[in-house]
């Protein structure tokens, strides 16, 4: 898939105010220092479509971007590391949960994980929540340029083991990416394109 157009549509905290048309949606979420905005900008060929920041926690709303006038890329607030108050975190959690539970246009969630780190409960528990709520998702390992191939393979295998020890019978679909090097772009967009064609 080639992305010819990507435009911001709306930001809000209320699922009911998300776009009312029926374009399929693909939601990107992860801990707030995982490189989500950089990945979105790389995928869409835009330097500043999603706001990047040295301070984690920049995304604080549900952001809809219309891609090729055919589908929405949805940028969700990060969880975990963001330096915000407990009240704000609870607020984020509430509308993130509502989005995944109520948004019928959602086709797939992408959970971003920094490949340099060992499996973290905050990530695996969120994946488990998605699975138990019947939300289709795939894992995106970010920052792959920071590791050598053997180290990447080890980290992915560690994730497989961590997930298979819980409720998973097999590893969810996953992608190895690097925003700075463009790694995984074709595979990820191809995956979305295949799903869109099957709808």
């Amino acid at each position: 898939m080639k992305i010819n157009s990507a435009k911001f549509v709306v930001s809000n905290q209320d699922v009911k105010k998300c776009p009312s048309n029926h374009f399929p949606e693909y939601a990107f979420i992860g801990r707030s220092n995982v490189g989500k905005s950089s990945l979105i900008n790389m995928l869409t060929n835009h330097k500043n479509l999603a706001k990047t920041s040295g301070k984690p926690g920049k995304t604080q709303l549900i952001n809809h971007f219309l891609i090729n006038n055919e589908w929405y890329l949805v940028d969700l607030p990060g969880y975990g590391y963001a330096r915000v108050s407990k009240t704000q975190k609870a607020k984020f959690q509430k509308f993130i949960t509502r989005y995944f539970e109520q948004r019928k246009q959602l086709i797939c969630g992408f959970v971003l994980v920094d490949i340099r780190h060992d499996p973290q409960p905050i990530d695996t528990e969120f994946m488990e929540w998605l699975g138990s709520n019947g939300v289709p998702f795939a894992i995106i390992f970010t920052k792959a340029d920071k590791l050598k191939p053997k180290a990447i393979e080890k980290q992915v295998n560690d994730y497989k083991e961590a997930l298979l020890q819980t409720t998973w019978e097999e590893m969810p679909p996953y992608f190895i990416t690097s925003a700075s090097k463009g790694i995984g772009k074709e595979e990820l967009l191809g995956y979305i394109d295949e799903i869109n064609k099957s709808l």
Side-chain angles (χ1 to χ4, degrees), residues 75-197:
D75 183 10
L76 294 170
Y79 52 81
Y81 185 76
R83 288 178 183 152
V84 296
S85 68
K86 285 185 179 179
T87 307
Q88 269 189 302
K89 277 186 185 174
K91 197 175 182 183
F92 292 171
Q93 198 58 50
K94 189 177 276 188
F95 70 73
I96 289 169
T97 301
R98 282 181 182 157
Y99 174 83
F100 281 110
E101 287 176 341
Q102 298 176 14
R103 192 68 177 155
K104 292 178 181 176
Q105 290 91 331
L106 175 67
I107 302 299
C108 181
F110 290 105
V111 182
L112 277 64
V113 171
D114 187 331
I115 199 161
R116 298 174 298 174
H117 303 315
D118 292 335
Q120 302 290 315
I122 193 168
D123 294 317
T124 56
E125 285 168 11
F126 181 67
M127 292 177 202
E128 205 164 319
W129 181 86
L130 290 173
S132 63
N133 283 273
V135 179
F137 75 93
I139 300 169
I140 297 179
F141 291 101
T142 63
K143 306 184 183 183
D145 59 294
K146 308 290 185 186
L147 294 180
K148 293 185 175 171
K150 280 192 176 177
I152 289 172
E153 189 179 342
K154 179 189 178 298
Q155 292 299 92
V156 171
N157 284 332
D158 285 350
Y159 246 91
K160 283 181 184 175
E161 283 185 27
L163 290 174
L164 295 177
Q165 283 171 8
T166 56
T167 55
W168 301 98
E169 292 180 4
E170 60 182 5
M171 178 79 164
Y174 67 90
F175 300 88
I176 310 293
T177 70
S178 163
S180 60
K181 303 289 185 185
I183 297 168
K185 179 177 182 177
E186 285 186 21
E187 292 83 354
L188 190 47
L189 291 177
Y191 181 74
I192 293 172
D193 195 35
E194 273 186 37
I195 296 174
N196 282 341
K197 285 174 179 173

Side-chain angles (χ1 to χ4, degrees), residues 1 5 22-25 66-72 193 196:
M1 180 202 305
S5 66
H22 296 287
F23 288 141
E25 295 183 3
L66 183 60
I67 310 298
N68 290 348
N69 293 312
E70 293 175 347
W71 57 278
Y72 285 114
D193 195 35
N196 282 341

